[in-house]
């Protein structure tokens, strides 16, 4: 359900579970973590592209996983997000269709995000009885501002690619079906830049907030587990799964 190819220094990762709108389950998170652990600190990797099969990025987490007992510590999703956040090569997301939940929050850790004006995003955590995740309790406000971050996280409404771009969450909008092509163009352009200076630039831009980001992850893990354990949240998740 996670396909990967590595050619000419560029790793392409495809979320390939179209029958479930590319919803991410534990096994998929584990595979994504393996890939980012392997290539995120690999000098031969010049860029990582992440996209979804069938014209959909991802509908977010598989809600069935939320109905299972949560062990202490990081979930598979959080392990993936930590690995993604530490990747040294530039990470490029090509986003079409839906980007729900973690499908939206993981974009905070990408260096370039290409989407269409009609891409549908949503941060549904509060509506499910949950709290923000993916570092969004820290990063979202830094990226889009105080008012927009609260709007998206508290109302849990859908917002499209145009609004996300206007808020500074998306690098550039493309025509439908062209996001992956644009991502590949960017990856090839980045491959021509001296890699030591490119990585140094990313480290200087991202490294300063890493300690705070890891603390945010820690806090989100604790709060998420508390929310998930309540009967009200479990009822909400079960009801949502029936829709």
């Amino acid at each position: 359900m996670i396909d990967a190819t590595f050619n000419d220094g560029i790793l392409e990762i495809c979320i390939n579970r179209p029958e479930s709108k590319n919803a991410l389950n534990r096994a998929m998170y584990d595979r994504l973590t393996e890939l980012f652990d392997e290539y995120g600190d690999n000098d031969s990797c010049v860029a990582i592209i992440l996209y979804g099969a069938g014209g959909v990025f991802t509908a977010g987490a598989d809600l069935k996983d939320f109905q299972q007992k949560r062990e202490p510590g990081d979930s598979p999703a959080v392990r993936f997000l930590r690995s993604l956040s530490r990747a040294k090569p530039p990470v490029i997301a090509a986003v079409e269709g839906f980007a729900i939940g973690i499908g939206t929050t993981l974009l905070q850790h990408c260096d370039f995000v290409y989407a269409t004006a009609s891409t549908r995003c949503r941060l549904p955590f509060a509506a499910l009885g949950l709290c923000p995740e993916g570092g969004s309790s820290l990063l979202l406000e830094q990226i889009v501002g105080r008012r927009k971050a609260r709007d998206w996280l508290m109302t849990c409404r859908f917002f499209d690619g145009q609004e996300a771009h206007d808020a500074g969450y998306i690098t550039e909008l493309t025509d439908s079906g062209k996001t992956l092509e644009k991502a590949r163009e960017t990856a090839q352009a980045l491959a021509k830049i001296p890699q030591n200076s490119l990585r140094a630039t990313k480290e200087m831009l991202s490294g300063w907030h890493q300690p705070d980001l890891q603390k945010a992850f820690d806090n989100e893990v604790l709060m998420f587990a508390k929310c998930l354990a309540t009967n009200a949240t479990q009822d909400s998740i079960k009801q949502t799964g029936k829709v």
Side-chain angles (χ1 to χ4, degrees), residues 36-37 40 78-89 91 106 108-111 134-135 139 202 206-207 209-210 213-214 217:
F36 275 92
D37 282 349
V78 175
R79 287 195 291 272
F80 156 59
L81 289 165
R82 287 192 198 266
S83 183
L84 167 62
S85 73
R86 294 182 177 125
K88 294 180 180 179
V91 180
L106 72 82
Q108 298 170 117
H109 310 289
C110 298
D111 301 285
L139 295 181
K202 176 169 178 174
S206 303
H209 65 57
Q210 271 295 333
L213 176 57
Q214 299 309 316
F217 279 140

Side-chain angles (χ1 to χ4, degrees), residues 46 88-90 190-191 193-203:
V46 299
K88 294 180 180 179
L190 293 171
I193 296 173
Q195 293 304 297
N196 61 333
S197 58
L198 185 64
R199 290 195 178 203
T201 299
K202 176 169 178 174
E203 182 178 358

Side-chain angles (χ1 to χ4, degrees), residues 130-132 218-228:
L130 298 168
C131 67
D218 292 341
N219 184 52
E220 290 171 356
V221 166
L222 292 174
M223 187 64 71
F224 203 91
K226 289 181 181 179
C227 292
L228 195 60

Side-chain angles (χ1 to χ4, degrees), residues 6 8-10 42-48 89-90 187 190-191 195 198-199:
F6 185 63
D8 299 324
I10 299 171
N42 187 327
D43 289 340
S44 65
C45 183
V46 299
I48 299 173
L190 293 171
Q195 293 304 297
L198 185 64
R199 290 195 178 203

Side-chain angles (χ1 to χ4, degrees), residues 28 35 43 69 76 105 110 157 169 185 236:
M28 295 165 75
L35 288 167
D43 289 340
K69 183 178 179 181
T105 59
C110 298
R157 65 178 177 83
Y169 204 67
E185 288 177 0
S236 178

Side-chain angles (χ1 to χ4, degrees), residues 47-117:
I48 299 173
I49 295 174
L50 184 62
Y51 68 102
V56 174
F57 189 57
T58 172
D62 190 328
L63 293 182
K64 293 178 182 177
D65 287 347
F66 289 165
Q67 298 174 42
Q68 300 179 36
K69 183 178 179 181
R70 179 65 58 91
E71 300 296 331
D74 287 354
S75 66
V78 175
R79 287 195 291 272
F80 156 59
L81 289 165
R82 287 192 198 266
S83 183
L84 167 62
S85 73
R86 294 182 177 125
K88 294 180 180 179
V91 180
I92 309 165
V95 186
E96 303 215 17
F98 288 101
I100 308 298
I102 193 172
T104 295
T105 59
L106 72 82
L107 301 178
Q108 298 170 117
H109 310 289
C110 298
D111 301 285
F112 301 86
V113 180
Y114 300 111
T116 71

Side-chain angles (χ1 to χ4, degrees), residues 170-186:
I170 303 296
T171 304
E172 185 178 327
L173 296 176
T174 76
D175 292 335
S176 180
K178 299 293 185 180
T179 58
L180 182 56
E181 179 182 327
K182 180 63 180 179
R184 287 170 172 164
E185 288 177 0
T186 298

